[in-house]
């Protein structure tokens, strides 16, 4: 069998990453571009993060474009995906990364805290999956990667809304894998543990220390750790893997 380097497996692929202006999404976009993929990314608004990422991605030489697109809005997601297909020709990989937290104990959690989380974290995954499946079916291939979380399986006090949205993503991922496997469209989830980004910067040090004590690899995760898992699930190195949840947590949930 002819050996193909990992680098060449991603070259020329068209990748869409939602919510990529910062954090894990930003590093995913950069790593795919570094490996020769063409990158379409979305963000809620044009700001320094958005334009900075677009400029940096362009230095890798592939096709690149940022789209202002609220992932929680169904119509906007459909319209953006149509634009991306027009600009890039096809969509090979979708990474549903956009996500937010609205942490609170259930006693204090408002209906808005619940609805915002469901719309941005869970409905966005439905919106974008709907938006890409037709072009993927036409191409007879595709890989969809959904960003869940270890709290989606284990739960977390103060995050019942977030945990429910991330658990919902897992059920959705497995269902789509069953529905679209015959079309050669794979759908997997990644469950990151404690990854250092703006999202986790908000946490008090004692909470961080408690998480750290539970991690066998004795360090917090980096966005690169998560992006590496995306490279694998996007490429044909994982061509017989679908409907799975790949945990990237340094062993925290063993
Ligand atoms: P972050 O807060 O740094 O980045 C999230 C990105 O999503 C931001 O660029 C934000 O603008 C974008 N976004 C939010 N709402 C959006 C919307 N409606 N439409 C489009 N974009 C939107 O967070 P981080 O840490 O990079 O998280 C990325 C993903 O990984 C999220 O889904 C998060 O739940 C998940 N995750 C993160 C973990 C961590 O420890 N940081 C652990 C487990 C999962």
């Amino acid at each position: 069998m002819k050996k193909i380097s990992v680098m060449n497996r991603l070259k020329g692929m068209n990748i869409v990453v939602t919510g990529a202006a910062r954090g894990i999404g930003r590093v995913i976009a950069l790593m795919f571009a570094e490996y020769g993929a063409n990158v379409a990314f979305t963000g809620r608004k044009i700001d320094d993060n958005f334009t900075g990422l677009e400029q940096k991605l362009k230095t890798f030489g592939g096709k690149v474009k940022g789209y202002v697109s609220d992932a929680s809005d169904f119509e906007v997601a459909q319209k953006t995906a149509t634009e991306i297909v027009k600009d890039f020709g096809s969509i090979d990989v979708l990474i549903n990364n956009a996500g937010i937290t609205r942490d609170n104990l259930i006693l204090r959690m408002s209906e808005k805290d619940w609805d915002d989380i469901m719309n941005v974290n869970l409905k966005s995954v439905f919106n974008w999956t709907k938006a890409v499946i037709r072009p993927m079916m036409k191409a007879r291939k595709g890989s969809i990667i959904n960003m869940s979380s270890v709290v989606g399986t284990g739960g977390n006090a103060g995050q019942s809304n977030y945990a429910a949205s991330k658990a919902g993503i897992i059920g959705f991922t497995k269902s789509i894998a069953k529905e679209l496997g015959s079309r050669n469209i794979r759908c997997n989830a990644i469950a990151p543990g404690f990854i250092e980004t703006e999202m986790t910067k908000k946490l008090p040090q004692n909470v961080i220390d408690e998480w750290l004590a539970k991690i066998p690899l004795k360090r917090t995760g980096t966005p690169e750790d998560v992006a590496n898992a995306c490279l694998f699930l996007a490429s044909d190195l994982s061509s017989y893997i679908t409907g799975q949840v790949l945990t990237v947590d340094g062993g925290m949930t063993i």
Side-chain angles (χ1 to χ4, degrees), residues 19 22-24 44 70-71 97 147-148 162 166 193 195 197 200:
R22 68 175 206 190
I24 295 170
R44 272 178 303 190
D70 179 348
N97 167 78
M147 212 52 78
S148 179
Y162 183 80
K166 295 300 186 182
I195 310 297
T197 64
T200 45

Side-chain angles (χ1 to χ4, degrees), residues 202-253:
K202 296 185 260 183
L203 295 170
Q205 191 57 43
N206 65 318
V207 174
I208 297 178
D209 291 342
E210 270 175 43
W211 285 92
L212 260 178
K214 291 187 243 163
I215 301 175
L217 288 180
K218 293 295 162 220
R219 66 169 177 90
T220 52
T222 63
E224 285 77 9
D225 292 321
V226 180
N228 282 329
C230 290
L231 296 177
F232 170 65
L233 290 174
S235 84
D236 61 2
L237 285 173
S238 61
S239 58
Y240 202 50
I241 298 176
T242 194
Q244 302 305 306
V245 182
L246 180 52
T247 302
V248 181
D249 71 348
M252 184 167 70
T253 54

